[in-house]
Amino acid sequence: MFQILEKRRLNETTTLMRVHAPRVAKKAGPGQFIILRIDENGERIPLTIAGYDRESGSVTIIFQKVGKTTIHLDELEAGDSLLDFVGPLGRVSEYGDVKGKRVAVIGGGLGIAIAYPQAVALTELGAEVDMIVGFRNIGLAILMDELQNASKNLIVMTDDGSNGKKGFVTDALREQLETGVKYEHVVAIGPMPMMRAVCEMTRPYGIHTVVSMNPIMIDGTGMCGGCRLTVGGETKFACVDGPEFDGHLVDFDEAMKRSRMYSAEEKLSKEKHICRMKEAAAHV
Amino acid sequence: MYNKSMTKLPAREQAPEVRRHNFAEVSQGYDEAMAREEATRCIGCKNAPCMTGCPVGVHIPEFIAHVKEGEFEKAYETIRLTNSLPAICGRVCPQETQCESKCVRGVKGDPVGIGRLERFCADYAMQKGQPAPEKHAPNGHRVAVVGSGPSGLTCAGDLAKLGYDVTIFEALHTPGGVLVYGIPEFRLPKHLVREEIATVEALGVKIETNAVVGRSVSLDELFDEGYDAVFIGSGAGLPRFQGIPGENLNGVYSANEFLTRINLMKAYAFPETDTPVRVGKRVAVVGGGNVAMDAARSALRLGAEEVSIIYRRSEKEMPARLEEVHHAKEEGVNFRMLTNPTAIHGDEAGNVQSMTCVEMELGEPDASGRRRPVVKQGSEFDIAVDTVVIAIGNSPNPLIRNTTPGLETQKWGGIIADENGLTSRENVYAGGDAVTGAATVILAMGAGKTAAKAIHEKLSR
């Protein structure tokens, strides 16, 4: 069992948890993920490692309530335990020599929480990091102090313009590129349509762009191929070959179709859970 | 005198029309009277050729003699001397190519039902409740076992009996390997696997789940943690695909994914459980081994209307157990032999709609000794399908070899080990599918046993 040491709601849909998992904490690196299972009938879901403390043996995860399992996870409190928590899985990010180079780290939605440790790691390697992050509105902003510290230049976009900068992260990226900012390297993490849009924007400039793919996963150790993607015309398993890939080589169209495979079942499972919670509440 | 009946006493079974709608065990085995009756067919050969067909050398005539006398506990103890998982072996071994293939009674008529008798003894002992095994005096050595499948469990059990402090590291959340994620409930009930594993734990073996060797901890770090030797029993869990167009469409599964969702994650109970699985009306399973049979029969039980096995050779070459092929046919699985898929087609949303196949004919024997299938020119045809399960085999997972310097492997990924299981690294042993590629449960157990003996010889020197 893996005890939840801390739970903090970052905004109405996003929650941070620190979980006691010494083996994972000891080995974790940027770009890697864990798979957890809440209870005996639970499913296995992948979540990126947002931070770790090797000394106390804790691992930080940040998740968004989107379906049955993440809603259930959000109902747990510090002191509760998760049945299974395995990792670190996937490959550690490889940045190459970025010392003194200007890079952009772009995060959308929950991807911001995952992009943040990338910005930290790149800064530590001596890169000059611009962070571009996007929220629906400024009330949903998360980790603002951390993002400020992790980057030289922080650009915050909102869909509704509630912070004065209206538009998507790609709008900010376009502006940067058009005004002549030369990025050696771009990291984009977020929903697949956003990552694809970033890749299309950097492609004509020939800027190496890394994306962190988030396909459906089951075991996360390479034994089933549920997470397979086409990258540069070859089939790759995101759990062992990735999750980070050269975004210019990823077949996003296929990946997006695959990620929608169980949408009907996901909806059913979620509704059933919400119904149960309402019934339980009515009995109190 | 012995029973001269030429035929093996049939086991009790669920009727095909009932069982194709449930996941309960198909074969109900023998009762006491049936077991004693079948046991009397054994003539107790002195040279016991049956034993040479058993990879772990079960004392077959001896245990069957006990069954004949109604001494079922003694029979069980005899089996357990060399086999740590008899309830499993009795159910999943391909006895027709192992012990029973060597049985003298099989020369004229059916061989003795050794598998069914072994299973009976194990089930009998489990129902009675077994006494806790004697704890063995610790010898001060620690051994790490990677993987909790049949080879790892056997190796761990044998070492524990010799006084070793053994820990098994398992990547998944439940121990058992293919016994829990691969072989379905209707062939091998999971409560039984749990109980068999509990008998190994009762010997003092510790199992750490959620520990991926190669990621959570490296093989070298296991030595740093104080282990004196390591046994790698990580299996062959990397699925092969056909490499044909359309293989990444929605509705195309590797058999590993399909069966893991169903067996390990209990997707058959969705939405009571959280993991979904998609089974359409028309399912094609590509392959001819046990895994293909398991996938096809699972698909039927999940409500598919039409399930076909697509196999590129003829039925004679199918590697699946005879009994499973027979069961699959009884349940209504179609067999399309000498057929191979060449492309899978989908709709705009990316869902499978149809599959193009070609007819095959058998040519000259290939390296495996089986006649090589050759494409018949101009024989292309399409079939309508909405789910495709690829069950053409597995390779060893590269995770351990990629993260363990100095561990030599074959070109196809199998770990190189000598006849005792010793690898190219000192004090690192390996066995089972990780060395041989996908084979059988009992061969993996035999390899675990051999390695345990070699580890003991090395460490007690």
Side-chain angles (χ1 to χ4, degrees):
Chain A
M1 298 287 270
F2 300 83
Q3 199 181 42
I4 299 167
L5 302 172
E6 181 192 349
K7 174 192 179 185
R8 204 164 78 218
R9 285 224 168 86
L10 300 180
N11 66 34
E12 62 194 42
T13 59
T14 311
T15 302
L16 173 151
M17 274 180 184
R18 223 155 40 77
V19 178
H20 186 64
R23 265 207 200 278
V24 186
K26 195 174 162 196
K27 296 276 284 188
Q32 291 189 296
F33 64 98
I34 58 96
I35 282 189
L36 65 79
R37 190 171 73 128
I38 298 176
D39 56 25
E40 198 50 49
N41 282 335
E43 62 180 336
R44 295 167 66 96
I45 62 158
L47 291 169
T48 303
I49 296 169
Y52 46 84
D53 179 17
R54 300 205 202 280
E55 264 173 40
S56 68
S58 73
V59 174
T60 304
I61 50 171
I62 298 178
F63 59 93
Q64 213 166 9
K65 287 190 282 178
V66 289
K68 149 91 206 252
T69 299
T70 44
I71 292 171
H72 187 182
L73 189 57
D74 186 59
E75 287 157 5
L76 301 181
E77 300 297 338
D80 291 339
S81 287
L82 305 171
L83 188 54
D84 299 296
F85 193 89
V86 57
L89 300 171
R91 295 163 67 109
V92 178
S93 306
E94 287 162 21
Y95 304 108
D97 181 20
V98 290
K99 204 174 166 70
K101 291 176 180 163
R102 192 152 181 196
V103 302
V105 177
I106 304 173
L110 182 67
I112 291 158
I114 308 162
Y116 159 66
Q118 300 271 339
V120 173
L122 282 160
T123 302
E124 279 171 4
L125 287 171
E128 205 176 298
V129 178
D130 283 5
M131 262 204 104
I132 305 174
V133 298
F135 302 98
R136 261 189 294 131
N137 64 65
I138 198 64
L140 294 175
I142 57 169
L143 303 172
M144 290 304 272
D145 292 341
E146 285 91 341
L147 297 177
Q148 200 74 58
N149 290 333
S151 52
K152 265 213 156 132
N153 181 19
L154 173 66
I155 304 171
V156 180
M157 303 296 288
T158 51
D159 296 2
D160 65 354
S162 49
N163 68 328
K165 285 217 164 194
K166 185 172 168 158
F168 299 126
V169 288
T170 38
D171 295 320
L173 177 63
R174 182 186 301 114
E175 202 182 310
Q176 293 289 95
L177 293 173
E178 281 173 359
T179 53
V181 178
K182 295 255 187 292
Y183 290 120
E184 299 269 348
H185 188 77
V186 167
V187 178
I189 304 175
M192 282 199 234
M194 176 223 122
M195 292 193 287
R196 172 156 78 175
V198 169
C199 289
E200 288 319 310
M201 195 155 285
T202 57
R203 194 191 299 273
Y205 292 88
I207 304 169
H208 185 238
T209 303
V210 170
V211 295
S212 179
M213 296 302 285
N214 44 5
I216 294 172
M217 284 189 192
I218 302 100
D219 62 286
T221 63
M223 65 167 262
C224 85
C227 65
R228 62 195 189 275
L229 304 162
T230 302
V231 182
E234 284 177 47
T235 295
K236 299 277 182 192
F237 291 3
C239 72
V240 288
D241 300 320
E244 290 176 7
F245 292 101
D246 179 339
H248 292 152
L249 299 178
V250 171
D251 184 341
F252 278 103
D253 185 51
E254 177 187 276
M256 273 149 59
K257 282 176 181 165
R258 282 184 69 78
S259 72
R260 285 192 292 265
M261 175 156 174
Y262 291 104
S263 41
E265 288 86 354
E266 283 161 6
K267 193 162 164 253
L268 177 72
S269 184
K270 177 180 174 179
E271 279 164 4
K272 190 163 173 285
H273 180 73
I274 292 169
C275 258
R276 251 195 222 151
M277 288 302 112
K278 279 186 182 152
E279 268 173 38
H283 283 296
V284 175
Chain B
M1 265 323 279
Y2 64 91
N3 175 350
K4 293 209 169 70
S5 166
M6 291 299 207
T7 51
K8 197 194 284 187
L9 188 69
R12 298 163 296 172
E13 278 178 4
Q14 275 198 81
E17 58 280 10
V18 176
R19 70 180 194 239
R20 64 170 285 177
H21 300 293
N22 68 50
F23 272 84
E25 193 173 14
V26 168
S27 172
Q28 312 284 303
Y30 287 156
D31 62 17
E32 293 182 25
M34 293 165 82
R36 292 187 68 170
E37 188 190 332
E38 180 64 18
T40 60
R41 292 188 64 235
C42 173
I43 59 174
C45 312
K46 281 269 174 326
N47 60 344
C50 51
M51 281 179 65
T52 64
C54 174
V56 296
V58 168
H59 300 289
I60 295 168
E62 197 183 320
F63 101 75
I64 294 183
H66 286 305
V67 176
K68 211 186 294 190
E69 299 305 320
E71 299 162 346
F72 305 131
E73 272 129 346
K74 276 192 187 157
Y76 175 73
E77 282 162 25
T78 306
I79 300 169
R80 281 280 298 192
L81 286 176
T82 57
N83 185 342
S84 320
L85 311 165
I88 293 163
C89 291
R91 285 171 167 83
V92 305
C93 275
Q95 289 97 1
E96 68 264 23
T97 60
Q98 296 179 339
C99 55
E100 294 182 18
S101 76
K102 303 276 203 275
C103 176
V104 170
R105 293 300 309 269
V107 178
K108 286 181 191 164
D110 290 342
V112 174
I114 301 167
R116 288 174 189 170
L117 289 172
E118 178 183 46
R119 166 190 166 155
F120 166 79
C121 295
D123 289 2
Y124 180 90
M126 261 185 206
Q127 263 160 25
K128 282 267 152 157
Q130 302 155 48
E134 275 174 60
K135 291 263 170 169
H136 298 264
N139 67 14
H141 287 295
R142 296 175 72 201
V143 178
V145 170
V146 183
S148 64
S151 72
L153 287 171
T154 303
C155 184
D158 280 16
L159 286 170
K161 285 184 202 162
L162 294 166
Y164 290 86
D165 178 355
V166 185
T167 304
I168 300 181
F169 294 86
E170 168 55 48
L172 290 173
H173 56 256
T174 307
V178 75
L179 307 172
V180 296
Y181 74 75
I183 305 174
E185 188 76 19
F186 56 81
R187 209 148 75 77
L188 181 63
K190 299 304 154 235
H191 73 86
L192 214 140
V193 178
R194 273 197 300 278
E195 280 181 60
E196 287 277 59
I197 292 173
T199 65
V200 176
E201 286 178 292
L203 297 166
V205 172
K206 295 178 281 278
I207 302 179
E208 190 180 328
T209 53
N210 295 311
V212 188
V213 174
R215 292 278 196 228
S216 312
V217 60
S218 73
L219 196 119
D220 289 298
E221 285 163 339
L222 290 175
F223 285 103
D224 298 342
E225 287 186 20
Y227 293 97
D228 304 307
V230 177
F231 173 74
I232 306 172
S234 51
L238 180 76
R240 282 192 213 129
F241 286 91
Q242 296 262 98
I244 58 175
E247 237 168 350
N248 291 349
L249 287 165
N250 294 343
V252 182
Y253 288 100
S254 72
N256 271 7
E257 179 184 356
F258 191 66
L259 291 171
T260 297
R261 284 177 179 271
I262 295 167
N263 299 326
L264 181 70
M265 306 311 297
K266 301 190 256 331
Y268 56 82
F270 181 85
E272 293 310 314
T273 55
D274 294 340
T275 306
V277 67
R278 186 195 285 183
V279 178
K281 286 199 171 82
R282 281 181 290 237
V283 180
V285 178
V286 183
N290 286 317
V291 175
M293 298 304 133
D294 288 343
R297 298 171 69 199
S298 297
L300 269 183
R301 283 161 171 77
L302 288 167
E305 287 167 12
E306 195 187 309
V307 179
S308 304
I309 292 276
I310 312 272
Y311 183 54
R312 64 195 184 122
R313 301 180 198 250
S314 76
E315 190 171 332
K316 210 172 70 195
E317 287 84 23
M318 284 206 318
R321 269 182 102 212
L322 277 182
E323 187 172 344
E324 310 316 327
V325 175
H326 173 70
H327 281 156
K329 284 186 176 167
E330 281 187 334
E331 287 162 14
V333 173
N334 299 331
F335 282 68
R336 278 178 185 266
M337 299 294 98
L338 291 165
T339 304
N340 206 29
T342 54
I344 307 169
H345 313 284
D347 62 15
E348 274 191 2
N351 297 318
V352 173
Q353 270 189 325
S354 67
M355 189 160 84
T356 302
C357 298
V358 286
E359 287 176 31
M360 312 291 284
E361 50 197 0
L362 293 180
E364 294 300 306
D366 62 13
S368 76
R370 297 181 298 176
R371 293 176 67 194
R372 185 196 302 273
V374 186
V375 177
K376 247 193 230 175
Q377 289 304 316
S379 64
E380 278 196 4
F381 63 100
D382 279 9
I383 53 173
V385 286
D386 35 30
T387 304
V388 178
V389 181
I390 309 288
I392 57 168
N394 291 319
S395 314
N397 192 306
L399 211 47
I400 291 176
R401 66 170 190 262
N402 288 349
T403 56
T404 308
L407 185 70
E408 284 172 21
T409 57
Q410 314 270 7
K411 241 195 281 174
W412 51 269
I415 296 170
I416 295 173
D418 69 11
E419 67 282 4
N420 294 317
L422 181 64
T423 68
S424 55
R425 287 275 311 261
E426 203 189 346
N427 291 346
V428 177
Y429 295 76
D433 289 1
V435 170
T436 59
T440 61
V441 168
I442 190 75
L443 280 174
M445 289 176 56
K449 198 170 237 342
T450 306
K453 195 163 157 259
I455 291 170
H456 180 52
E457 274 166 16
K458 174 77 197 289
L459 295 185
S460 61
R461 205 179 288 156

